[in-house]
Amino acid sequence: MAQKIKLSTIADALGVSTATVSLALRDSPLVADTTRQRIKEYARTIGYIYNRRAASLRTSRSGIIGVVVHDIMNPFYAEILRSIESELDRSRQTFLLSNHYDQLEKQRTFIDTLLQLGADGVIMSPAIGTPAEDIRMAEENGLPTVLIARSVEGANVPVFRGDDAYGISLATNHLISLGHTRIAMIGGTDHTSTGRERYRGYVAAMQAAGLEVKPEWRFPGPRTKQAGFEIAGAFLALKDKPTAAVCWSDLVAIGLMNGIARAGLVPGRDISVTGYDDLEEAAIATPALTTVWNGQREVGRRAARVLLDRLNGAEVAPTQELIKPELHVRQSTGRPVER
Amino acid sequence: MAQKIKLSTIADALGVSTATVSLALRDSPLVADTTRQRIKEYARTIGYIYNRRAASLRTSRSGIIGVVVHDIMNPFYAEILRSIESELDRSRQTFLLSNHYDQLEKQRTFIDTLLQLGADGVIMSPAIGTPAEDIRMAEENGLPTVLIARSVEGANVPVFRGDDAYGISLATNHLISLGHTRIAMIGGTDHTSTGRERYRGYVAAMQAAGLEVKPEWRFPGPRTKQAGFEIAGAFLALKDKPTAAVCWSDLVAIGLMNGIARAGLVPGRDISVTGYDDLEEAAIATPALTTVWNGQREVGRRAARVLLDRLNGAEVAPTQELIKPELHVRQSTGRPVER
DNA sequence: CTGAAAGCGCTTACAG
DNA sequence: CTGAAAGCGCTTACAG
């Protein structure tokens, strides 16, 4: 590697000051056209690489935005990330991604890294148990924060997520209207706002229809395809077996359907199943999954937009925005079959 | 936000020099135990945040490692990333992730960002059409590079990937040994080393067994579940329809099986299907997918390890390492059914 | 074991 | 329109 090329290398070669070079490269109108062109041209030919660390140290803006979610491998988050990415790309921000796997320690380490790097902001789907204090700390240290998918009690920042109680009621009511009376709720955890809201919505819909909610019809826990698959046995072994299952997510639903099929029953005919999220995959599952669209794109896009607005100095109200979910009916639900 | 706390804040408060504070915080043995403890204790209580930009400007090590792949949403890459992540975590490196979606421009922008941030190295699954020159440029500018999953002709850096020709021959020979003679190859592209190798391996296995390879039995293109699903129609419409399909990946295979099921046939009985990668999902697909384990974990782990070694000054040979794939037989393959 | 000082490569008032 | 100079917050020889 040759001698490091820096602003002063260019300045010396062209007989101008580093100030002029700096301004020219950033297209400042202060610099004469011809000067600017000469400088940019020369910088290109010698392969100058801008040193963002130096600039950032001086300006205290880094161009980095952190994004931390439970697990980027989960398609639900992946779809959100996709839209965040396209939004940030447009404004030339670099985005730093991390999983926290619901480990508070990992999340804290990441926030710390962001602070050390002087990140401009962070979008997070907070880990289970995140105290409002953690978010306040980030904000106080100059790291504007926006929450997605889950809220944190007492945190004074914008939140974008779906209306979970309403969304799950769409699925539950759909099954009720098909004639199901014994409906299980599979997956999810009470440790997140999302989990609590969905269970609440399910119970409310059942009770509103005058239907019984049996404790053994609830299978908390599963949040992956694998876990949905594995729970099928216990579900099918219930006496007075429910004829339908409202699942916590598409992943759980698809896993469950695979488990049901493996047991020789036909999901969508013998057992109706609903998902939640409407992942791309839901439409090509067998049978195609009836599910609740949860606005991933919308959540990501709006969270990124609001954060960028904050960075540009806009005052943003720390309010919670609930995206309205929609029911997408496909083949995994039908009238109950009594046998 | 209060006045920014920096090394000198601590130094002044404690009546020592910034040099001592700097050394103490990094646990240098040069500093007396009691001094160090006093300093660290004080730093904690006032909430000091280390400024990595400043440090990095001075030391020219940033602690950042870039990782760029086609698409992190693809479980194949996600599984690789997972193992890279756990490897890098251990050595306290921050990893900066990006998709290139096989757009050279996007990949270049990312490499540029890494250079500007002074990243310590990059692990990449190169975008289609990446010239060796791009990699040489990164290396010459002090960005050590390691390739995964795909190789680049003429690039003089370590590569970790599966032995594709061998792997696909395992799948093809398995079908042949079950008695299949009309076997299609579905998905993949000739634009990547991976795609070429797998097709080559399939053709070689067929020919070695004295079987015919019809051009219309090849369906290039599909690389997603969705695309596998959509190709099912064309595949099933072939005259002299093949009794088996070797798929380019698990995603394509699972999509294809869904498409076959949607058409009223039973995958694994009417049509045998093999995947490639052995994603976590393969085992819970319906039917469970016979596939080729492609060593994602291994690829990620070793790529990260080698890069870290290079950062620590080890000489690393720029050789290509082929991970040996293994056939995992499940329920999606069986003897051919003539009807 | 500790301190004074230079320097990493930018940007930004300020002066002309 | 351009230049001289200070300063962002660290680390690292060097001296003691």
Side-chain angles (χ1 to χ4, degrees), chain A residues 4-73:
Chain A
K4 197 83 187 170
I5 295 161
K6 43 191 176 178
L7 278 193
S8 64
T9 316
I10 300 174
D12 291 352
L14 263 43
V16 295
S17 72
T18 57
T20 302
V21 176
S22 171
L23 293 169
L25 292 179
R26 284 173 296 139
D27 288 322
S28 161
L30 287 176
V31 179
D33 263 15
T34 50
T35 316
R36 172 155 41 82
Q37 280 169 21
R38 239 175 80 226
I39 291 173
K40 295 186 84 165
E41 169 66 19
Y42 185 71
R44 197 172 330 112
T45 59
I46 63 172
Y48 167 69
I49 290 169
Y50 179 66
N51 188 324
R52 255 160 82 161
R53 291 168 289 178
S56 157
L57 181 57
R58 182 59 225 255
T59 62
S60 66
R61 266 192 83 152
S62 63
I64 291 174
I65 287 186
V67 182
V68 56
V69 299
H70 174 89
D71 183 1
I72 59 171
M73 203 165 144

Side-chain angles (χ1 to χ4, degrees), chain A residues 48-283:
Chain A
Y48 167 69
I49 290 169
Y50 179 66
N51 188 324
R52 255 160 82 161
R53 291 168 289 178
S56 157
L57 181 57
R58 182 59 225 255
T59 62
S60 66
R61 266 192 83 152
S62 63
I64 291 174
I65 287 186
V67 182
V68 56
V69 299
H70 174 89
D71 183 1
I72 59 171
M73 203 165 144
N74 181 320
F76 168 70
Y77 288 113
E79 291 185 5
I80 292 181
L81 293 179
R82 194 96 101 187
S83 71
I84 292 178
E85 178 186 30
S86 72
E87 203 66 29
L88 295 186
D89 266 6
R90 200 168 318 161
S91 59
R92 315 187 55 62
Q93 296 271 340
T94 299
F95 85 148
L96 236 183
L97 215 55
S98 182
N99 302 310
H100 54 55
Y101 301 121
D102 276 324
Q103 294 163 25
L104 221 43
E105 231 14 83
K106 211 162 172 340
Q107 177 174 286
R108 282 185 181 137
T109 302
F110 182 69
I111 299 286
D112 226 54
T113 299
L114 292 179
L115 290 170
Q116 295 183 1
L117 291 171
D120 296 335
V122 63
I123 297 175
M124 58 191 281
S125 175
I128 290 176
T130 301
E133 174 53 24
D134 279 21
I135 289 165
R136 196 171 323 128
M137 189 280 253
E139 288 264 335
E140 272 169 10
N141 283 292
L143 188 68
T145 304
V146 172
L147 301 184
I148 51 174
R150 300 173 180 174
S151 46
V152 168
E153 194 73 28
N156 203 31
V157 297
V159 184
F160 295 90
R161 58 188 196 85
D163 187 340
D164 291 299
Y166 172 74
I168 209 82
S169 77
L170 292 177
T172 312
N173 287 332
H174 165 65
L175 291 168
I176 293 171
S177 74
L178 285 170
H180 295 272
T181 55
R182 300 196 306 283
I183 304 173
M185 161 107 203
I186 298 194
T189 161
D190 277 346
H191 296 112
T192 63
S193 57
T194 318
R196 286 188 296 271
E197 290 286 292
R198 292 198 192 157
Y199 184 57
R200 193 167 66 73
Y202 153 78
V203 170
M206 292 292 278
Q207 290 174 341
L211 296 176
E212 192 183 6
V213 178
K214 289 205 191 174
E216 65 265 35
W217 289 353
R218 167 147 214 232
F219 292 85
R223 290 196 285 161
T224 63
K225 218 180 265 188
Q226 183 71 42
F229 178 76
E230 287 165 1
I231 209 87
F235 169 75
L236 294 174
L238 284 177
K239 64 177 164 58
D240 272 345
K241 191 175 69 202
T243 56
V246 169
C247 293
W248 184 76
S249 69
D250 284 359
L251 293 181
V252 170
I254 291 172
L256 180 72
M257 292 202 304
N258 278 323
I260 290 172
R262 198 65 72 81
L265 296 179
V266 180
R269 197 193 62 194
D270 300 321
I271 307 279
S272 285
V273 176
T274 64
Y276 204 104
D277 289 339
D278 197 15
L279 302 178
E280 286 171 9
E281 207 176 330

